[in-house]
Amino acid sequence: MQNTKRKQLTKYGRVFIVFLVMTALTVCFYMCPSALKGCCKSTELASRNSVSIENMFHIPINMQRGPPAPEYKFDMNGSDVIVFLHIQKTSGTTFGEHLVLDMDIDNQCQCSQQRKRCNCQRPNSEKKEWLFSRFSTGWKCGLHADWTELTSCVDDTMNKKLEMQVDKRRYFYITILREPIPRFISEFRHVQRGATWYSAKHLCYGRPPTEEQLPPCYNTTDWKDVSLDEFLACESNLARNRQTRMLCDLTLVDCYNQNSMPQERRNKIMLESAVHNLENMAYFGLAEQQEMSQFLFTKTFKLDFKVPFVSSYKSKSSDTIITPEQNRTIIQQSELDIELYKFALELFMKRVNKVIKEYPEDYKKFIDEVNNAQLTEFPDSGPLPKR
């Protein structure tokens, strides 16, 4: 009997122990400049009391600020809408597929193998949507639309293009983040295979950047077979600090105009803005912590999935050979993302620990399901898989 209990406790704690160990190692790496062997000069967060910057921040009035109250349940029949901000190479495709294919809800999203999108309508309406994402509504605010584009576009698009009526909705912004260095390398590999995201608009104040503000990195139809050195050499490469740029409010730094203020101040505002916006998101997950990200989502929205999320430590970035000099350059070009991810790790741990304490029995049951799941890899792209 005691042996059985001991095995059960080991099973329940296995994933959480792995979570704590992996998180501790990652925090150590991002917290300690010495862990970078002198390669990275840490970009410190601006003071939380910096009135001159914080007074500039803005959150849409109809957006849920931070996680909802513990007793809250996502109102599928009401006016609640989940908005997924999908950052490239963060396992967002996998997460997006879970949202439309694997939700344990009465009114399942209706998906077709011929299309890359699904109809995710409310149970009480054939015209109203509860999910704004790539695999549901499509890229209605632009390909991989960022914070700046989404917050100025979503409500208007819902009113005029999707539901064709003005309504008072409550938006729950969510996203997935990934460790900056593997994410950067994964983007390089994706571009090397021919990806361009050429149709991304990068709108700010409703206008795209000029060619002078955002010069192209290549003059051909794509950048296929680009070398890592060439990829790193392009100063306008949007892979640099991508997560920070996509989560910040670019209107605070005059959009893509690099000459409107000193670079140091621009970086400071962008990082503080990204931190502020992430903190005010109803939910975010981490690519490296699929299991805990799932548990946090289900307890945040009181929505369950039919299958467990499974972490994988194998991706296209893991088998990429880079030199020490290239590694140093990637770290330098990801300084803001490294600081943002450091903050995200701390906030993620805080939110996860909170829901584990609130739902201990559910957590034990969840760990049972996770331990019986099989390992899967992060897919890069492609059509919706069959379920």
Side-chain angles (χ1 to χ4, degrees):
M1 186 70 175
Q2 287 182 343
N3 287 337
T4 303
K5 271 189 175 179
R6 194 174 291 114
K7 287 181 180 179
Q8 287 178 337
L9 288 172
T10 301
K11 189 196 310 184
Y12 292 144
R14 188 184 306 154
V15 171
F16 189 54
I17 289 173
V18 171
F19 162 68
L20 289 178
V21 171
M22 291 298 296
T23 303
L25 289 173
T26 310
V27 168
C28 177
F29 179 82
Y30 285 105
M31 285 291 197
C32 304
S34 59
L36 301 179
K37 299 181 180 179
C39 300
C40 175
K41 180 181 178 182
S42 177
T43 306
E44 294 186 2
L45 288 177
S47 168
R48 305 303 295 167
N49 297 320
S50 179
V51 178
S52 60
I53 293 180
E54 288 195 352
N55 279 354
M56 302 163 66
F57 296 153
H58 168 70
I59 296 294
I61 193 170
N62 53 5
M63 171 183 161
Q64 165 69 29
R65 297 188 176 215
E71 64 275 10
Y72 164 81
K73 185 181 187 303
F74 186 77
D75 190 358
M76 189 73 70
N77 290 312
S79 59
D80 291 354
V81 180
I82 291 175
V83 180
F84 179 32
L85 194 163
H86 183 172
I87 302 172
Q88 288 95 318
K89 313 316 297 174
T90 60
S91 80
T93 296
T94 301
F95 181 73
E97 289 171 352
H98 281 311
L99 290 175
V100 298
L101 297 174
D102 300 324
M103 296 293 294
D104 190 8
I105 55 179
D106 294 333
N107 198 45
Q108 297 286 327
C109 294
Q110 300 302 308
C111 304
S112 168
Q113 287 298 310
Q114 285 71 43
R115 301 173 69 238
K116 287 189 177 183
R117 297 211 303 266
C118 306
N119 293 323
C120 297
Q121 296 161 342
R122 302 187 188 278
N124 59 350
S125 174
E126 293 184 357
K127 296 182 178 179
K128 295 192 174 183
E129 312 268 352
W130 63 266
L131 176 64
F132 194 102
S133 74
R134 164 192 178 183
F135 290 129
S136 57
T137 57
W139 301 115
K140 286 289 188 290
C141 292
L143 178 63
H144 284 285
D146 57 27
W147 173 275
T148 308
E149 292 173 298
L150 285 175
T151 54
S152 63
C153 162
V154 169
D155 197 47
D156 198 47
T157 298
M158 292 287 288
N159 288 336
K160 298 179 180 179
K161 295 181 180 180
L162 294 175
E163 298 183 354
M164 307 301 290
Q165 67 179 65
V166 177
D167 201 353
K168 290 184 178 180
R169 306 178 189 87
R170 182 162 62 155
Y171 295 105
F172 296 79
Y173 277 71
I174 65 174
T175 195
I176 304 291
L177 297 181
R178 185 179 177 184
E179 287 187 36
I181 308 309
R183 195 219 65 80
F184 186 98
I185 297 171
S186 184
E187 178 165 340
F188 157 67
R189 289 291 299 272
H190 199 51
V191 171
Q192 192 180 50
R193 294 191 299 272
T196 62
W197 301 298
Y198 67 92
S199 61
K201 299 177 181 179
H202 308 301
L203 297 180
C204 183
Y205 283 129
R207 302 185 300 271
T210 64
E211 189 167 313
E212 182 181 358
Q213 293 171 341
L214 190 62
C217 288
Y218 50 91
N219 297 318
T220 52
T221 55
D222 58 44
W223 215 4
K224 192 173 183 179
D225 298 324
V226 61
S227 70
L228 181 53
D229 286 333
E230 291 173 319
F231 192 77
L232 294 170
C234 179
E235 294 187 2
S236 58
N237 191 340
L238 292 179
R240 298 182 179 189
N241 293 310
R242 178 180 288 281
Q243 295 179 103
T244 302
R245 177 181 57 80
M246 291 188 67
L247 286 178
C248 79
D249 181 355
L250 288 171
T251 65
L252 301 178
V253 291
D254 198 15
C255 303
Y256 290 87
N257 182 5
Q258 301 281 340
N259 300 318
S260 61
M261 65 181 71
Q263 190 64 47
E264 183 178 355
R265 177 166 175 77
R266 180 182 177 85
N267 288 344
K268 183 177 182 179
I269 294 174
M270 287 178 63
L271 180 56
E272 278 289 352
S273 174
V275 164
H276 176 267
N277 293 338
L278 184 68
E279 198 169 18
N280 279 280
M281 279 189 159
Y283 163 87
F284 71 91
L286 300 180
E288 297 77 18
Q289 300 291 347
Q290 294 284 319
E291 298 92 347
M292 292 302 168
S293 295
Q294 178 180 11
F295 188 70
L296 181 60
F297 181 94
T298 60
K299 296 310 170 189
T300 299
F301 294 105
K302 309 301 184 296
L303 295 173
D304 292 322
F305 293 91
K306 295 180 288 186
V307 299
F309 296 6
V310 188
S311 286
S312 170
Y313 305 103
K314 184 179 180 182
S315 69
K316 296 294 184 182
S317 64
S318 61
D319 61 358
T320 303
I321 299 174
I322 62 175
T323 67
E325 180 60 33
Q326 289 171 334
N327 188 57
R328 283 192 289 271
T329 303
I330 293 172
I331 290 171
Q332 290 167 0
Q333 294 183 5
S334 305
E335 281 187 335
L336 300 184
D337 276 5
I338 288 172
E339 291 296 328
L340 175 65
Y341 194 78
K342 180 199 304 184
F343 173 83
L345 270 172
E346 295 174 348
L347 183 58
F348 182 76
M349 288 176 65
K350 180 179 177 181
R351 291 185 179 183
V352 166
N353 286 327
K354 182 175 182 292
V355 295
I356 288 176
K357 289 178 181 178
E358 291 171 349
Y359 305 97
E361 293 304 317
D362 289 347
Y363 172 70
K364 290 179 181 179
K365 181 181 177 183
F366 171 74
I367 294 304
D368 271 337
E369 296 172 354
V370 169
N371 286 331
N372 292 326
Q374 294 182 347
L375 198 67
T376 56
E377 295 185 22
F378 294 149
D380 285 314
S381 60
L384 288 169
K386 294 182 179 179
R387 288 289 196 268

